[in-house]
Each structure stands twice: as C-alpha cells, then as structure tokens.
Amino acid sequence: MYTFSNKLKTIAFVLMILGFIGIVYGFLSAPKTIEEAEKIIASTHEEHAVAKSENNAHQVQTIADETKKADTVVQNASPALDSLASNTDSTKVEKEIVTTEKAKAEKEVISEVDSVKEKKEHAEHVFHQLQNKPWSALYVACIFFMLISLGVLTFYAIQQVAQAGWSPVLFRVMQGITAYLPVGSVIFFIILVLGGLHQHHLFTWMAEGVTTKGSANYDEMIAGKSGYLNFPFWISRAALFLLGWNLYRYFSRKNCLAQDEASDNSFYKKNFKLSAGFLVFFIVSESIMAWDWLMSFDPHWFSTLFGWYVFASFFVSGITTISMVTLYLKSKGYLENVNSSHIHDLSKFMFGISVFWTYLWFSQFMLIWYANIPEEITYFKTRIDVYTLPFWGAVVMNFVFPLLVLINTDFKRIAPIIIGAGVVILCGHYIDFFNMVMPATVGDQWFVGVSEISSVLFFLGLFIFVVFSALSKSPLTPKRNPFIEESEHFHY
Amino acid sequence: MSSNKVIHAIYNDDDVLMDAVKQTRKAHHHIEEVYTPFPVHGLDKAMGLPSTRLAICAFIYGCIGLTVATSMMDYIMIQDWPQDIGGKPSMSYIQNMPAFVPVMFEMTVFFAAHLMVITFYMRSKLWPFKKAENPDVRTTDDHFLMEVVVNNNEEELTNFFKGTGAVEVKVIEKH
C-alpha cells in the first residue's frame, strides 16, 4: 500500500493556493470597461505612438519641402516664358496645387473620422480579448489536465483489450491517475456551463444575436452551423461524453478490485468487454469532443483530422504522466515488480506517440499550407504571425527533443533522462493546447503571465493531490490478474 | 600442432544448449561459434558477445540521407532554377520547406534502411554465391552445435561436453 507522503501533500496544497491566488489576481486585473482596456492599450502602445508621430512630422516636412521646390520651379519657369505671355500657365499650376491641397485636407478629415471609429472598434476588440485572457488561461489548463487523465484511461483500456503481458503491474498506477478524471470533468463542465450563462465569452458562436438576422452581431456562417453549434445540444453532448468516460473509469476500477478477491476470472472478462466498448465510444466521443471544445473556438474554420490530432496530443501526455508517476513511486520503493523493461516500454510509447503527434500536426499544417485556401489558411496565418514562438516551439519540444533524446535504447531506461524528456513533452503539449485555444480568444494579446502560470499551478496541485490520494487507497499491484505473473517477470 | 582441432558438441534442445554455453564459459573454454536453426533468445548474452552497433550506423546513414535530400532540393528548386511553380515561395529553402518534407523523410528512411542492410551483409559476409559455412546440415533443421577449440585437452573436453547433455561430441580437424 502506498502512503501519501506529507511532503507531497504540502507541495500539492502550496501549488493549489498559489495557483488560486494567481487566478483570482488574473480576473481582478482584467479590464472591466472599455476605458480601462484603452488605458492598457495606451500604456503598451505608447512606444508605437511616439514612433508614429515622429514619422508623421517627417512626412509633413517632406511635403512642405516638395511644395517649396515646386514654387521655385514655377518661379524659375516664369521669366523664361515671359515673352510668350504664359502667365496663364503659372496660374494653372498654382490652381492645380490649390485643388490638390484641398483634396488632401478633405481626405485627412475623412481619415480622421475613420481612425476615430477604427480606434473605438479596436478598443472594443482588445477589451474583449483582455477580458477573455484569464478565462482562456483557466480553460486551457483545465482541459489539459482533464485530457491527460483521459489519455491515461484510453491507454489503460487499450492495454486491457490488447491483453498486454507487460502492463498489468502498472494498472493501479493508471487507475490512480484516472482518478483525476471525475474531478477534472466537474470543473470543466462548470466552465462550459458558465459560457452558456454568458459569464465568459470564449466561444464566439455563443454570443447573443450571432444567429439572428439583422442583429449587429449576425454572422451568416455561424448561423449556418447553428444546427450543430447551439448551446443546449453542445452542453448535452459534453455531459454525455464526460458521463460515459467517468462511468467506464468507475466500473473498470471496481471490477479490477473485485477481481482481486474473486475465485474465477469473470471480473477480468467483464473488464475486457467493458474496455472494448469504451474504446468504441471513446473514439467517436473524442472526435466530437475535439470539434466542440477546441475547434469551435474558430467557428469559421474546420479541419478533418483535428480530432486525431488532439487525441495524439493528450495521449502522449497521458503516457508521459504514467511514466513519470511510475518512476516517482519506484524511486520511493513502492513498485518492486516494476523493472527497467517496463520503464523502457513506456519510454518507447512516449517516443512513438510523440512522432505520431508530429505526423498529424504536420499533415494538418502542410495540407492547408500547400493548398493555401484563404478560408483555411487564416488559422495558421494568425498562429505563425502572432504566435511564432509557441507555434514552432511546440514542434521542437514535442518532436525534435524527444526524437533525439529517446531514440537511444539505453537512455530509455535512465530515470533522470525520462523525467527530463517527460517535463519537456508535457510543457510542449500544454503549449500545443495553448496554441489551439488562445489565438481565437485573446489573439495578439497573448502572454504567458500570471493568469496562465497560476492556472497550470492550480490544476497541477489538484492533479497531484487527487492522483496520489487515489493511489493510497488500493494496493499498487493487482492480485489476480491473469497476466500479472507474466507482467512481473517481464523482461525486454 | 593440435590447434586446428575443434570439438563439435551437438544438442537437440535450446535450453540444454543455453546451460551448456553457461557451463563452458564458466570452465573458461573458448567458444569458437554456435550454430542454431533459429534465434535463441539470450544466447548472445550467455556467450558474452558485445552488442551490435548496427543501430548507430543506421542513425548516421539516416542523417546522411537527410543531408542528401536537403542539399539536392535546395540546389534544384532554390539555387539553380527558382521558378514560380503555382505560387510556391522559392526565395529560400525554409520558405518552401513543408513541400520538401515528404522527400526529406523518405530519403532519410531509404538511406537508413538500405545502407544498414548492406552494412549487415558486409559485416556478416553474406552475398550471393557465397559458399555456405555449415559444419553439420542438421543445424539448419533441429540441432544446435557448439564449436570449441581444442588445446591438447581433447580427452578432457570430450568428457566435459558429454556431461553437458550433448547428444553427440565429435573432434574435427579444421583446415
């Protein structure tokens, strides 16, 4: 039996408290009115403004210089044309100059009106983005940790169905990690409901008047999709999926514990069938979940392999988490049946699924980049232009780094290397989710600041607390699993 | 000299063979070669053979393949004749890189795989029309053969191998 060490408990609580304070601070420092947003814009854009006014002064100077030059040309020309009595010409030139000046002035007035209007619209736009910032940070961290435990649950179900001979010694570790799923689901569901109650504006398609013709907010494309993207349908899908995953988790764990005390393998067989059913449900619900909770941030954009791509992202994060928790428990001397071959297998999965994620990431990017259809490319245009570092950084962290580090057989067994690679992979996939959500909600106002970091800290603390409490509630090795003997002597 | 004499100890079970190999190593007799009809898991470790470096070769070959693909496409598509083909940016390699990635990937795999296989053939001296080095035809079917050098200890070795469960022990003059 594992006992939750007080030290780890303290760390988890400190993380949660720090995170909570940071989240509250993030919400308090978000602007409440457009005026406040304008102030924030003004303070960040001061440098730009100074540069702009200098530029304008310079332009005025050159215009003045040019008119002077034109005058001298006219003056020089008039004596030469004197004998031909061409005064009319010079007056013509003067007249032309006057008319162009007049036109210029008129244009300036118009552009001033435009710029005032534009400024107002811009302020409103930025105001919404800044208001979204703490919510988005919360959303990304919340869905990320919830999907990690979902990834672990999927991995667990696959191991059951595949009748893997190596992994049964890790089943209790996986069950411990999936204990976060119910907790994470509830918090996540609350955030989704708050969106429907217009407490936050993360989903543009939920805004009022978007589907009503004649409204200032009317969006024909979103209105066209409202048969699918409407709040009641959307939230009931979410409820169904979360419920389905949690039910599988609950019964699978129950059966696994019952199998320990049973005299035959009936509970094992039950779990086998349950897992197969779950995997079928999972792949359908996962795909739809990806459209609902991540792709609908950009309701004008769609991609067919998006569901797979999201799956690969949290699946590899889940496997990495299993590997890291296993190494932690082993270092504390709790998993005597886990040997370096089990660790090696987990590292191989980390490596392989990292490459799989890259394959999907690249396939999605390259197909859209190659064809360059305007309605599709905007998605990557904003990400490459505004999120340059996170966009490419995610590829380096999730592909190049694990590729070079985990390709070596010996490295796949060395704990510090796996932990190091694991931290990079997890951070990389957090950034991946960040890249999926942020460009649509906060746009160019993104920043990894207090809100983002504290949200991650809060959910990390909660995750550690829930997972390790669950681990301490049942023996770490299943007793009567038909494959446990093979698993204990697994050697690669 | 009796140094070109070898003992052929023949077994008919891989578990017996593994035990025999371990005993032979313990008794410090030099194992020249072991012939088996199929891979015996753990035999290389029991014999104390160093691990293969073929994977390291493959990694290097893969890097070479990647370099070949990159320099080839950079020269052809960007340096030599940078045409505008369907609006694809051919001003620099990085600008048009996504279009080159499929080729870069395939060339990496191609070089890594083929050069590694050729390395394997060369290192294990395998080629068409090569004369088979088979001491006993049964070793390709259902028998295992261990070959040990004899150093004026023929009697002792014969008895030793009979004790390890060999079904047949022969002393052979090698040329």
Side-chain angles (χ1 to χ4, degrees):
Chain A
M1 282 296 262
Y2 168 71
T3 38
F4 196 171
S5 78
N6 274 327
K7 212 173 128 194
L8 197 63
K9 217 178 250 175
T10 320
I11 293 175
F13 277 119
V14 167
L15 286 174
M16 273 192 271
I17 293 164
L18 275 181
F20 187 75
I21 294 170
I23 291 170
V24 170
Y25 170 79
F27 277 104
L28 292 179
S29 60
K32 303 278 163 318
T33 58
I34 294 182
E35 285 71 41
E36 275 180 53
E38 270 174 336
K39 246 182 239 165
I40 294 172
I41 302 166
S43 65
T44 50
H45 288 276
E46 220 156 54
E47 284 170 39
H48 289 280
V50 169
K52 227 180 202 172
S53 65
E54 268 172 14
N55 211 17
N56 283 351
H58 184 72
Q59 266 177 354
V60 168
Q61 189 62 42
T62 40
I63 289 169
D65 284 351
E66 261 163 39
T67 28
K68 224 183 230 167
K69 236 185 242 166
D71 278 351
T72 45
V73 169
V74 172
Q75 272 166 9
N76 288 349
S78 31
L81 301 169
D82 198 28
S83 57
L84 291 164
S86 54
N87 281 349
T88 42
D89 274 347
S90 64
T91 47
K92 219 184 216 170
V93 171
E94 264 167 39
K95 225 182 199 171
E96 248 167 48
I97 290 170
V98 169
T99 42
T100 44
E101 288 291 315
K102 209 173 168 188
K104 220 185 243 167
E106 268 168 22
K107 231 185 214 166
E108 253 164 45
V109 170
I110 291 167
S111 71
E112 221 163 83
V113 170
D114 271 352
S115 78
V116 166
K117 208 171 153 196
E118 209 174 80
K119 228 181 201 169
K120 209 171 166 191
E121 274 171 10
H122 176 66
E124 208 186 316
H125 183 63
V126 174
F127 167 62
H128 288 311
Q129 289 182 333
L130 288 173
Q131 266 202 326
N132 273 342
K133 215 173 153 283
W135 281 107
S136 304
L138 196 69
Y139 187 92
V140 174
C142 184
I143 195 172
F144 180 63
F145 280 97
M146 187 191 70
L147 290 183
I148 282 182
S149 62
L150 182 63
V152 174
L153 192 67
T154 318
F155 189 73
Y156 169 77
I158 291 172
Q159 297 298 316
Q160 298 259 358
V161 171
Q163 306 190 342
W166 66 279
S167 51
V169 289
L170 299 171
F171 278 175
R172 290 288 152 81
V173 177
M174 297 183 206
Q175 285 169 0
I177 300 172
T178 56
Y180 178 76
L181 188 63
V183 181
S185 306
V186 169
I187 302 176
F188 183 70
F189 193 73
I190 291 171
I191 296 181
L192 293 187
V193 171
L194 287 179
L197 299 175
H198 300 291
Q199 295 301 305
H200 62 73
H201 307 282
L202 293 182
F203 297 93
T204 45
W205 57 267
M206 274 183 199
E208 270 167 70
V210 167
T211 53
T212 5
K213 233 173 197 164
S215 160
N217 279 342
Y218 180 67
D219 185 320
E220 202 183 344
M221 274 182 81
I222 294 176
K225 291 182 180 182
S226 62
Y228 181 79
L229 280 183
N230 61 75
F231 183 72
F233 188 27
W234 181 81
I235 200 74
S236 38
R237 281 197 304 267
L240 176 72
F241 299 159
L242 292 172
L243 199 69
W245 303 335
N246 279 298
L247 281 178
Y248 168 69
R249 196 208 82 83
Y250 176 76
F251 284 110
S252 176
R253 183 181 163 82
K254 205 176 151 196
N255 286 340
C256 189
L257 291 174
Q259 173 71 23
D260 271 7
E261 310 302 328
S263 52
D264 60 357
N265 285 337
S266 61
F267 286 107
Y268 171 78
K269 284 179 188 158
K270 250 185 210 167
N271 251 2
F272 179 87
K273 287 177 194 156
L274 198 60
S275 305
F278 166 74
L279 286 173
V280 175
F281 174 74
F282 170 79
I283 201 60
V284 177
S285 56
E286 190 278 332
S287 205
I288 299 173
M289 166 277 271
W291 309 334
D292 282 3
W293 303 342
L294 292 161
M295 202 161 82
S296 81
F297 281 115
D298 299 272
H300 287 186
W301 181 81
F302 56 87
S303 160
T304 40
L305 61 69
F306 194 75
W308 278 101
Y309 163 64
V310 172
F311 166 69
S313 190
F314 70 76
F315 192 51
V316 68
S317 309
I319 294 166
T320 307
T321 311
I322 299 173
S323 180
M324 290 169 85
V325 173
T326 306
L327 282 172
Y328 171 77
L329 291 173
K330 182 141 183 69
S331 75
K332 297 282 168 206
Y334 285 107
L335 293 167
E336 68 275 9
N337 290 318
V338 173
N339 57 42
S340 64
S341 295
H342 295 104
I343 305 294
H344 190 139
D345 265 27
L346 283 172
S347 306
K348 276 193 278 189
F349 272 109
M350 278 162 72
F351 174 76
I353 309 295
S354 283
V355 175
F356 178 62
W357 173 86
T358 317
Y359 167 63
L360 293 175
W361 177 90
F362 181 71
S363 301
Q364 179 169 276
F365 168 65
M366 195 262 229
L367 284 180
I368 290 176
W369 173 87
Y370 207 101
N372 202 16
I373 301 172
E375 70 218 45
E376 287 180 351
I377 200 70
T378 47
Y379 184 83
F380 287 107
K381 178 83 180 142
T382 28
R383 276 155 185 82
I384 291 170
D385 287 353
V386 187
Y387 288 72
T388 316
L389 186 64
F391 185 73
W392 300 115
V395 184
V396 174
M397 290 170 84
N398 297 335
F399 173 61
V400 180
F401 185 81
L403 178 83
L404 294 178
V405 170
L406 292 177
I407 200 167
N408 190 314
T409 307
D410 299 328
F411 284 8
K412 288 195 192 92
R413 291 162 187 261
I414 303 171
I417 290 183
I418 301 166
I419 296 285
V423 169
V424 173
I425 290 175
L426 287 179
C427 292
H429 285 285
Y430 170 77
I431 294 173
D432 188 30
F433 277 90
F434 186 89
N435 285 341
M436 286 184 223
V437 175
M438 291 292 177
T441 55
V442 302
D444 58 357
Q445 299 298 317
W446 74 277
F447 185 67
V448 180
V450 177
S451 290
E452 286 76 9
I453 292 169
S454 345
S455 300
V456 171
L457 292 185
F458 175 77
F459 284 106
L460 180 65
L462 187 66
F463 188 83
I464 291 174
F465 179 70
V466 173
V467 168
F468 285 91
S469 314
L471 281 171
S472 64
K473 279 182 190 136
S474 57
L476 284 179
T477 314
K479 248 183 268 165
R480 285 200 71 262
N481 187 298
F483 290 97
I484 194 73
E485 189 70 20
E486 181 184 340
S487 180
E488 281 170 4
H489 299 110
F490 173 68
H491 167 75
Y492 166 72
Chain B
M1 264 185 37
S2 57
S3 62
N4 53 357
K5 261 189 181 172
V6 290
I7 284 234
H8 279 179
I10 298 174
Y11 302 88
N12 56 9
D13 188 274
D14 49 343
D15 284 336
V16 181
L17 172 79
M18 283 290 281
D19 283 339
V21 166
K22 279 172 195 160
Q23 283 179 45
T24 315
R25 291 256 299 160
K26 225 175 187 176
H28 296 292
H29 297 306
H30 178 70
I31 302 173
E32 190 75 10
E33 193 66 88
V34 176
Y35 295 88
T36 64
F38 53 79
V40 178
H41 188 74
L43 183 63
D44 50 342
K45 269 202 188 113
M47 286 171 72
L49 297 178
S51 59
T52 173
R53 289 167 296 180
L54 211 51
I56 300 169
C57 288
F59 185 82
I60 295 166
Y61 297 148
C63 294
I64 295 170
L66 185 63
T67 314
V68 169
T70 310
S71 42
M72 175 186 78
M73 286 182 296
D74 182 54
Y75 176 68
I76 297 172
M77 303 302 290
I78 310 295
Q79 310 299 338
D80 189 37
W81 198 348
Q83 282 191 103
D84 182 339
I85 303 167
K88 284 279 162 284
S90 51
M91 275 65 81
S92 72
Y93 191 76
I94 201 76
Q95 275 189 318
N96 208 2
M97 194 171 101
F100 301 144
V101 166
V103 180
M104 287 156 73
F105 169 76
E106 294 293 348
M107 289 282 261
T108 308
V109 175
F110 178 86
F111 271 65
H114 288 82
L115 292 181
M116 177 178 72
V117 166
I118 293 168
T119 309
F120 168 72
Y121 286 154
M122 284 163 65
R123 289 291 291 148
S124 37
K125 302 192 173 65
L126 282 175
W127 52 81
F129 311 114
K130 178 195 158 80
K131 202 173 170 299
E133 300 162 355
N134 196 356
D136 193 315
V137 283
R138 290 172 297 170
T139 59
T140 61
D141 185 12
D142 60 348
H143 280 66
F144 304 81
L145 188 150
M146 180 165 26
E147 188 179 291
V148 177
V149 187
V150 177
N151 295 311
N152 296 323
N153 52 357
E154 203 180 308
E155 197 74 3
E156 183 207 333
L157 272 183
T158 316
N159 288 331
F160 173 79
F161 281 112
K162 277 191 175 140
T164 57
V167 289
E168 212 177 304
V169 181
K170 291 188 287 187
V171 181
I172 304 272
E173 192 86 26
K174 246 197 168 179
H175 311 294

